Amino acid sequence: MFIKDLANLTLMFDLLDEFEFQIRWSSVKLINQLILNQSEQLQDKVLQIPRGVSRIIDLLSDSREIIRNDAILILNNLTKTNANIQKIIAFESGFDRIMEIIEGEGSVLDGGVIVEDCFNLLLNLLQKNYSNQSFFKEANYIKKICKYFELSGSDDSATNWTQQKTTNLSLLLRLIQCLVAPNNQQQIIIDCQKAYNHFGLLHRLCVLLTWPGVPSDLLSQAICTVGEVIRGNEANQLLFSTVMMQSNPPRPIITILLLSMINEKQPFHLRSSILYCFECFLYKNEEKKAQVIETLLPKETGGISDINTGQILCTGLFAPNDFVSNWLCAVALAHTISNSNTLKEQLLRVQLAINTQDKIQAVSLLQQCMNILSESSNNTINYQFQSKISILMLISTWLSGCPAAVNVFLSNEQNIPYLISQASATDTEEKSLIMQGVSSFCLGLSMLYNSEQIDAFTAEKLKDIIMKRIGIEQFEQKLEYISQHEAYTKTLKQPKFAFISVKPNDLLFDYEFTRLYKSNETLVINLLKNKKKEERRDSNCSTDSRVSLDQQNALIINQYKQLIREQDAKIKEQQQLNQTLTKTCSQLQVNMQELMAKSGRSSPPEKLQYETRINQLEVKCNLLEEKCAEQEDELCKLQREKGIFEETINNLKTMDKNTEVLELRFENSQLKSELSQINQDQENLLTLLQEMEDKLKNYKKLLKQHGEGVSDDEDESDEIEPNKINQSDDSCEKNQDIPNNIHSIIDSKDTSSNESNLLLNNNYMNESSEADNSASSFDQFKIESQPLAIPTGENVDLVTSDVKPFNFLQYFNKPIQSEQFIHNQKKPSGDELDLM
């Protein structure tokens, strides 16, 4: 009764101008109580009072804290649902005054409940209010909230996380998230993401992730906030990928987060938030997706590499007795290859080393997924229901739009019988029905994207199998059960992360899988009902019952184009109906106002009649408004579906070009590798030839020194001074240099030049026997060793440390030459030529 009279409220707001404490404080408390009890009615009344909102904003500057704090509570209650009051506060310098209070109360870490109320007020002003968000961004208020993350400003910030500090920081993270939420306007998201990077807020958020002692709830929220800040922004994603954790050795922060995701000891909300951050990291980032798949591919060089993203995902995907890790890793891999046939084909090359019966076998990743499903069905491995569903979702994403993956899948004769056995089950339990529906979907994708290259499982043969073993009506019912399931409906309505708000045991579907299911379910059913049959037969006949990838893409593009045309027609109809309803609603409002004007001048019976008519018109007007809102929602839904179809068409058109480019690049790399190997072999042969020629020259010189004859044509390039031989005609005794022992052939390398010197040491030992009656005695002599320089053109070790010295006598082609050389040498009896 009190607020129905506007004069009462006007008088009460006039008392706010009084500076007297008792008067102003009493008026503030009364207004606060009225708002708590009649919030919506008072919000409309405040807008009718002159300067009603401005007077409350002025109370924020009151030096008396009790009045200021109550004013904050009043504004919190006024701004929860009223967008007009939110705009008035924003353009009345409300942001400045609220931030001044936050800074005066000790900011985030040291502030109390007043800071909490201020952040709640900021959230009320910004959430779902795009004009306030634009004003907040353009006025550079984002720069002001960056300093709230100065964690080093407090001595106990790293160890003492009080409840109030955690609450304040949580509200600040929500404030950051509301500006970059996926359901926001796209331009606001892009601008705010750039501002977060420019003013260093993203860097501070990454520091918060590495800060010790952060509570798990707050850390989960911080991870989700980082994910939304980097979602779809290439610069922010690049910055996030360069952040390193302080570990031994230092690793990228995304690797540490994924290790925490597959750790079953971590709380579920933390693990699910890491998955959401990883999805945001890969969103619209084909380069990062390719890098993740590359970590799984076989490497040319062996050796143990550091742990990487692909290894973590595969470890979690097949972790026994941990269905949460199975589900999270399967969804992460599905997001990695979604909407990219190139990555799906690359993932087919992944080989896993599986230990079976004390033997290690190489199994493809796709086949290992099917092995896990079949073995878990036989109770040989303990995998829970959520694990099976997640693997089937990954396989469905893998098969969708990728004929190459379908061919590999069908090449194993055990895969289709397993899907048939699951889809044809008759159990009525909820989990069994879900398994039947998802298995039927995988079977339908194998038929829809079949390239007819596997003769045993062509599209027509698969259709016959379904008709005989399951039945088309039963098959359609199993597919419809999934689309009508409550979990499917909830997930499809929450594009952000539906799984983070559920319990671990309730994990079922991922948002991307629900989109995939929705877009392909109708196509599978139409194919089974012989719709588009003539188009498919014409396509098959043109290639002798083998549908090429181009024709398959053309068929899918035509289907999508037809759907887009239908959606355009529906959109036009909805727009026309919306305009008609709007005009009708306006006309009804005019009639209602006329009736209300007439009712004031009419007699009581006529007035009652007019009031009845007015009520009827109001009900009809409300119904029309609700129907108009429903039409607008349907219009938005159709526009989103149209965008999805157009994006799919673009992906299919670019698929062939990308495949051809990859093939050419692969051939180019192979040719370059072969050319490099040929050049290396040629250089090695030339080097070896030069070494052999140099060794031959040295051995010729040695032979000349020891008196062996060498032809002139072989000695053209040799210049060496022969040793002087003293001969006596009277005694017929010859004093010549005869080696008793050749101890070693030593290889040495001069590192200061480009020449390799082969040093041959010939040590002639003196074996003098003082026999007076001996007619033949030799004088003591010794020949100094001389190095022979052999230029090779480069520093090359002619004899390595692990190779025996070269035996120059073995260089002769014929053994008789070696015997002649030894026979011609005159040596004392009992001595032998020692070759090393």
Side-chain angles (χ1 to χ4, degrees):
M1 296 296 294
F2 181 80
I3 63 175
K4 285 184 178 180
D5 191 354
L6 186 61
N8 296 334
L9 293 176
T10 303
L11 178 60
M12 186 171 55
F13 271 78
D14 290 339
L15 294 176
L16 294 177
D17 295 334
E18 297 292 335
F19 189 74
E20 179 64 29
F21 175 75
Q22 293 295 338
I23 297 175
R24 178 176 287 186
W25 187 39
S26 300
S27 302
V28 169
K29 288 194 296 182
L30 180 57
I31 294 173
N32 197 9
Q33 290 298 323
L34 291 174
I35 293 175
L36 290 176
N37 291 280
Q38 298 290 333
S39 178
E40 295 183 1
Q41 292 85 343
L42 194 61
Q43 288 175 3
D44 297 333
K45 296 293 183 180
V46 169
L47 293 174
Q48 300 177 19
I49 299 173
R51 295 187 66 252
V53 179
S54 300
R55 291 175 182 179
I56 301 177
I57 295 174
D58 293 338
L59 296 178
L60 297 177
S61 302
D62 198 308
S63 59
R64 292 160 293 195
E65 293 184 0
I66 189 171
I67 296 178
R68 182 202 65 186
N69 297 342
D70 285 341
I72 295 174
L73 295 178
I74 292 174
L75 291 175
N76 264 321
N77 293 323
L78 285 175
T79 55
K80 287 182 178 179
T81 57
N82 197 302
N84 293 325
I85 297 178
Q86 295 171 0
K87 294 178 182 178
I88 293 173
I89 295 175
F91 289 96
E92 288 281 348
S93 302
F95 289 134
D96 291 320
R97 299 190 184 187
I98 295 171
M99 289 186 174
E100 288 175 1
I101 296 173
I102 293 174
E103 295 174 1
E105 292 292 329
S107 189
V108 178
L109 298 179
D110 300 326
V113 69
I114 305 303
V115 175
E116 178 182 349
D117 293 336
C118 289
F119 278 124
N120 281 323
L121 179 55
L122 288 175
L123 281 173
N124 291 340
L125 297 176
L126 293 175
Q127 282 182 335
K128 298 181 180 180
N129 194 319
Y130 302 134
S131 62
N132 282 3
Q133 291 177 2
S134 299
F135 176 73
F136 189 86
K137 169 183 62 68
E138 293 171 358
N140 284 336
Y141 289 111
I142 294 178
K143 184 178 180 181
K144 294 184 178 181
I145 65 176
C146 289
K147 55 186 176 182
Y148 295 157
F149 280 95
E150 296 293 342
L151 298 180
S152 60
S154 180
D155 296 336
D156 61 345
S157 59
T159 58
N160 185 19
W161 286 92
T162 62
Q163 181 64 34
Q164 188 61 57
K165 183 189 299 184
T166 304
T167 302
N168 293 343
L169 193 53
S170 176
L171 290 172
L172 178 58
L173 293 175
R174 286 180 57 192
L175 177 64
I176 296 171
Q177 281 182 281
C178 75
L179 297 176
V180 291
N183 56 357
N184 250 12
Q185 290 184 357
Q186 192 63 27
Q187 189 59 44
I188 293 177
I189 294 175
I190 294 174
D191 294 340
C192 289
Q193 286 177 337
K194 291 180 180 178
Y196 286 159
N197 191 352
H198 177 72
F199 294 119
L201 183 59
L202 176 57
H203 175 71
R204 287 175 168 82
L205 288 172
C206 294
V207 171
L208 179 62
L209 298 184
T210 62
W211 203 261
V214 180
S216 61
D217 293 339
L218 184 62
L219 183 60
S220 301
Q221 189 177 0
I223 292 172
C224 292
T225 304
V226 171
E228 293 188 352
V229 171
I230 67 176
R231 186 177 185 269
N233 188 292
E234 185 178 357
N236 292 0
Q237 290 169 341
L238 179 61
L239 175 62
F240 180 70
S241 64
T242 59
V243 178
M244 305 294 290
M245 288 287 290
Q246 296 180 356
S247 60
N248 190 16
R251 289 190 176 97
I253 190 171
I254 190 65
T255 302
I256 302 299
L257 290 177
L258 290 176
L259 286 173
S260 299
M261 186 182 74
I262 66 173
N263 186 357
E264 59 182 346
K265 296 182 180 180
Q266 296 291 349
F268 173 71
H269 59 82
L270 178 62
R271 301 171 71 180
S272 57
S273 62
I274 293 174
L275 173 60
Y276 177 65
C277 182
F278 184 70
E279 292 175 1
C280 294
F281 178 65
L282 298 180
Y283 184 71
K284 292 184 179 180
N285 195 335
E286 298 300 324
E287 181 181 357
K288 296 301 178 184
K289 290 182 179 180
Q291 290 177 1
V292 173
I293 300 300
E294 186 178 356
T295 60
L296 289 168
L297 297 178
K299 302 296 188 301
E300 295 182 358
T301 58
I304 301 176
S305 60
D306 193 14
I307 188 169
N308 53 49
T309 305
Q311 294 175 358
I312 298 172
L313 294 179
C314 283
T315 302
L317 179 62
F318 302 117
N321 302 322
D322 187 7
F323 68 92
V324 176
S325 293
N326 302 150
W327 195 93
L328 296 175
C329 292
V331 172
L333 276 176
H335 279 264
T336 305
I337 62 175
S338 62
N339 300 325
S340 177
N341 285 1
T342 302
L343 296 180
K344 293 177 183 178
E345 294 175 359
Q346 290 288 332
L347 197 62
L348 293 173
R349 298 170 50 200
V350 176
Q351 298 289 323
L352 303 177
I354 306 301
N355 190 0
T356 58
Q357 298 178 355
D358 298 333
K359 294 182 180 180
I360 298 178
Q361 296 181 352
V363 181
S364 66
L365 178 61
L366 179 60
Q367 189 55 44
Q368 179 62 16
C369 291
M370 292 302 302
N371 292 342
I372 290 296
L373 292 175
S374 59
E375 291 172 359
S376 60
S377 299
N378 298 330
N379 296 324
T380 57
I381 298 180
N382 184 17
Y383 280 91
Q384 298 189 21
F385 167 70
Q386 288 85 353
S387 302
K388 300 177 185 178
I389 291 296
S390 63
I391 293 177
L392 285 175
M393 288 194 299
L394 173 60
I395 294 175
S396 299
T397 306
W398 205 338
L399 299 180
S400 176
C402 185
V406 174
N407 291 337
V408 175
F409 181 78
L410 296 178
S411 61
N412 191 309
E413 298 179 353
Q414 299 177 357
N415 294 339
I416 293 299
Y418 170 79
L419 294 179
I420 292 293
S421 64
Q422 293 294 322
S424 60
T426 58
D427 296 341
T428 57
E429 187 183 358
E430 180 183 6
K431 293 182 178 180
S432 179
L433 291 174
I434 294 174
M435 279 292 297
Q436 295 172 27
V438 181
S439 299
S440 300
F441 182 65
C442 289
L443 194 59
L445 293 177
S446 301
M447 181 174 54
L448 181 63
Y449 298 100
N450 196 320
S451 61
E452 310 294 337
Q453 295 183 7
I454 307 299
D455 297 334
F457 298 111
T458 61
E460 291 298 328
K461 291 182 179 180
L462 288 175
K463 180 179 176 181
D464 294 338
I465 294 173
I466 293 173
M467 293 176 63
K468 294 177 181 178
R469 297 286 304 275
I470 304 174
I472 294 180
E473 294 182 358
Q474 288 78 7
F475 189 85
E476 184 177 355
Q477 290 177 0
K478 295 178 186 297
L479 291 177
E480 290 178 352
Y481 180 81
I482 299 296
S483 59
Q484 295 174 1
H485 196 273
E486 181 181 2
Y488 175 90
T489 306
K490 288 183 178 180
T491 305
L492 191 60
K493 291 180 179 179
Q494 298 181 14
K496 188 176 181 181
F497 50 106
F499 54 85
I500 203 171
S501 61
V502 301
K503 297 179 181 179
N505 292 328
D506 296 333
L507 283 174
L508 270 183
F509 303 118
D510 175 59
Y511 174 73
E512 290 296 331
F513 172 75
T514 57
R515 287 182 56 193
L516 176 69
Y517 193 94
K518 184 178 179 180
S519 61
N520 287 277
E521 178 188 8
T522 305
L523 299 176
V524 173
I525 294 175
N526 290 343
L527 185 61
L528 283 174
K529 290 183 176 180
N530 288 329
K531 291 184 179 180
K532 311 291 184 181
K533 186 175 181 181
E534 295 299 328
E535 295 179 5
R536 188 174 184 84
R537 286 182 176 176
D538 294 340
S539 178
N540 290 341
C541 292
S542 62
T543 57
D544 296 330
S545 300
R546 290 182 179 271
V547 180
S548 65
L549 184 60
D550 295 336
Q551 293 168 336
Q552 185 71 16
N553 291 340
L555 178 61
I556 298 172
I557 288 173
N558 291 332
Q559 294 175 354
Y560 278 123
K561 286 182 178 180
Q562 182 63 28
L563 289 174
I564 290 174
R565 294 190 191 99
E566 296 175 358
Q567 298 289 1
D568 287 337
K570 290 182 180 180
I571 289 173
K572 291 179 181 179
E573 292 177 1
Q574 298 293 343
Q575 288 176 346
Q576 293 175 358
L577 182 59
N578 190 14
Q579 293 176 359
T580 304
L581 292 174
T582 303
K583 292 179 181 179
T584 305
C585 185
S586 301
Q587 186 64 33
L588 290 173
Q589 289 178 352
V590 172
N591 295 340
M592 184 177 65
Q593 292 175 359
E594 292 177 354
L595 290 173
M596 291 178 64
K598 291 179 180 180
S599 64
R601 301 189 300 269
S602 303
S603 61
E606 293 178 352
K607 184 176 182 180
L608 180 61
Q609 183 180 0
Y610 283 137
E611 288 179 354
T612 304
R613 179 61 176 166
I614 288 172
N615 292 332
Q616 294 176 354
L617 291 174
E618 286 180 349
V619 172
K620 190 174 181 179
C621 184
N622 292 333
L623 292 175
L624 290 174
E625 287 179 351
E626 292 177 359
K627 191 172 182 179
C628 183
E630 292 177 358
Q631 297 294 338
E632 289 179 354
D633 294 339
E634 183 67 21
L635 180 62
C636 295
K637 182 179 178 182
L638 292 174
Q639 288 176 349
R640 287 196 299 269
E641 292 180 355
K642 178 182 177 182
I644 294 172
F645 292 149
E646 290 177 349
E647 183 179 357
T648 306
I649 290 174
N650 294 331
N651 291 335
L652 291 171
K653 287 182 178 179
T654 57
M655 181 182 61
D656 296 335
K657 296 181 180 178
N658 294 335
T659 304
E660 184 178 357
V661 170
L662 289 175
E663 291 178 355
L664 292 175
R665 289 179 179 176
F666 181 73
E667 292 179 0
N668 188 19
S669 63
Q670 284 186 332
L671 292 175
K672 288 183 178 180
S673 177
E674 293 177 359
L675 179 60
S676 176
Q677 184 64 32
I678 292 173
N679 291 334
Q680 185 66 28
D681 294 342
Q682 184 180 5
E683 292 179 0
N684 294 338
L685 290 173
L686 291 175
T687 303
L688 181 61
L689 179 61
Q690 183 65 32
E691 290 176 0
M692 300 306 294
E693 290 179 355
D694 294 339
K695 289 180 181 179
L696 180 61
K697 292 178 182 179
N698 290 334
Y699 298 142
K700 289 178 181 179
K701 293 175 183 179
L702 290 174
L703 292 174
K704 289 185 62 177
Q705 290 179 2
H706 294 288
E708 289 295 325
V710 181
S711 60
D712 295 336
D713 56 345
E714 295 177 351
D715 194 33
E716 290 178 355
S717 60
D718 297 338
E719 294 180 1
I720 187 171
E721 183 180 357
N723 295 326
K724 296 181 179 180
I725 303 175
N726 297 323
Q727 300 180 353
S728 177
D729 295 334
D730 297 334
S731 62
C732 297
E733 294 180 354
K734 299 179 180 178
N735 292 329
Q736 52 182 327
D737 298 335
I738 301 177
N740 291 332
N741 294 297
I742 300 177
H743 286 277
S744 62
I745 298 176
I746 303 174
D747 171 62
S748 64
K749 179 178 179 181
D750 187 4
T751 57
S752 63
S753 65
N754 289 331
E755 295 181 355
S756 296
N757 298 325
L758 182 65
L759 185 61
L760 181 64
N761 291 328
N762 298 328
N763 295 322
Y764 299 93
M765 308 299 299
N766 183 22
E767 297 182 358
S768 61
S769 60
E770 298 179 356
D772 296 334
N773 298 326
S774 176
S776 61
S777 61
F778 294 93
D779 296 334
Q780 256 183 323
F781 57 89
K782 183 178 182 181
I783 300 178
E784 297 289 336
S785 62
Q786 296 181 354
L788 299 177
I790 302 176
T792 61
E794 58 180 0
N795 291 331
V796 179
D797 289 331
L798 298 179
V799 181
T800 58
S801 59
D802 58 345
V803 179
K804 294 183 179 180
F806 188 84
N807 191 338
F808 69 91
L809 289 181
Q810 295 177 359
Y811 188 80
F812 291 107
N813 293 329
K814 298 180 179 180
I816 191 172
Q817 292 177 319
S818 300
E819 296 176 358
Q820 184 179 2
F821 173 77
I822 297 173
H823 178 72
N824 291 336
Q825 303 300 323
K826 293 182 178 181
K827 54 185 180 298
S829 61
D831 294 340
E832 294 180 356
L833 185 63
D834 186 17
L835 299 178
M836 296 185 63

